[in-house]
Amino acid sequence: MAVYAIGDVQGCFTALRALLERIQFDPDKDRVWFTGDLVNRGPASLEVLRFVKRLGASAITVLGNHDLHLLAVAAGDAKRRARDSFDDVLNAPDRHELLAWLRARPLLHYDSTLDYAMVHGGLLPAWNLGDAQRLAREAESVLTKNAEQFFPHMYGNLPDHWHDDLRAPERLRVIVNAFTRMRYCDRDGKMDLHHNGAPGTQPPHLLPWFQVPGRRSADVRVVFGHWSALGVYQEHNVLALDSGCVWGRALTAARIDGGPAKIFSVPCEPTTSGSE
Ligand SMILES: [Mn+2]
């Protein structure tokens, strides 16, 4: 059995099929992890959702910001944006089953055998793995049981840092923003959700979240997506896999069981325009 992690697919079904072919993925034997953002911006969100859902227990997917945005739009709690390309999902006859499945995905997955955690964005520097697991379960519980208390308050960049005394809805917003949108923090661990460029382009007071001194999850390997300008990256005990498929670059898989991660990529057709 092999375990692979795959970066942000964002509706690029052709590239996903090509990548699975490339790694000779066998759903009867192998496992595949998806770093989130299965949908949006690309041309075939519906086919990607149907395909990954059908993989059943062979696939593990964490939620990304685009997945949550689709769920919020479907729930009537957010407006569809001009560049959103998930109408195929919203109009599908199996929309209900697909969205119910997506909504039940976790924000964080941890495999103690592989000693790998997976999130879409990152882990706040103030959180150790146990904190992150507890807070992910807390937010997932609201998302699955009381989504009407979740989506209307999900959007926004504040508060920008963690405090144990935070209460809903701000508490949920920080948790979800860290797991699904974070790239940079300052040295005190405050999130900056504006800058999305490659490391080196950010204002000098900011650091990639995984480079913040004293980060409490530094002892755990973390695989994540969301940051296409970072690309495939392996340092600081993290493995970043968003190689910008939807922007015409590549879709990447990493084999994460045994030894150092082995990287596989397939090229992607540009399918969209504009910024990430
Ligand atoms: Mn994302």
Side-chain angles (χ1 to χ4, degrees), residues 18 28 78 87 102 109 150 164 186 198 222 270:
D28 294 330
D87 285 356
L102 187 62
H109 174 71
F150 189 90
D164 287 333
D186 70 12
V222 181

Side-chain angles (χ1 to χ4, degrees), residues 91-274:
N91 296 325
D94 50 348
R95 153 192 168 130
H96 181 76
E97 298 93 299
L98 293 170
L99 294 174
W101 173 82
L102 187 62
R103 203 173 83 168
R105 296 312 93 199
L107 289 161
L108 175 147
H109 174 71
Y110 175 66
D111 185 307
S112 57
T113 306
L114 295 177
D115 193 28
Y116 250 115
M118 174 172 65
V119 292
H120 180 66
L123 273 63
L124 270 178
W127 297 343
N128 62 26
L129 177 65
D131 298 329
Q133 288 177 296
R134 177 172 49 80
L135 297 172
R137 299 300 91 89
E138 181 181 323
E140 289 155 12
S141 171
V142 181
L143 178 60
T144 49
K145 293 183 197 140
N146 306 92
E148 65 282 0
Q149 292 174 20
F150 189 90
F151 293 127
H153 309 287
M154 183 174 73
Y155 295 84
N157 294 346
L158 293 174
D160 59 7
H161 63 287
W162 180 249
H163 196 287
D164 287 333
D165 295 337
L166 282 171
R167 293 288 172 262
E170 288 79 13
R171 183 178 176 92
L172 291 170
R173 195 179 304 126
V174 176
I175 295 170
V176 170
N177 280 343
F179 284 137
T180 67
R181 295 179 57 209
M182 182 170 66
R183 295 184 184 93
Y184 287 107
C185 290
D186 70 12
R187 286 179 176 276
D188 299 324
K190 280 187 185 167
M191 287 185 277
D192 177 288
L193 296 170
H194 296 289
H195 293 277
N196 64 4
T201 64
Q202 80 274 25
H205 70 287
L206 297 179
L207 292 166
W209 64 268
F210 48 82
Q211 289 180 10
V212 172
R215 176 170 71 90
R216 296 187 62 217
S217 59
D219 56 332
V220 183
R221 294 192 291 186
V222 181
V223 57
F224 66 97
H226 185 59
W227 196 345
S228 65
L230 177 63
V232 177
Y233 175 93
Q234 294 186 73
E235 293 282 343
H236 300 277
N237 227 13
V238 301
L239 171 58
L241 289 178
D242 183 2
S243 46
C245 183
V246 77
W247 312 107
R249 286 160 45 204
L251 186 65
T252 298
R255 184 165 176 179
I256 57 171
D257 61 307
K262 190 171 177 206
I263 304 291
F264 305 84
S265 290
V266 293
C268 300
E269 294 287 319
T271 56
T272 186
S273 60

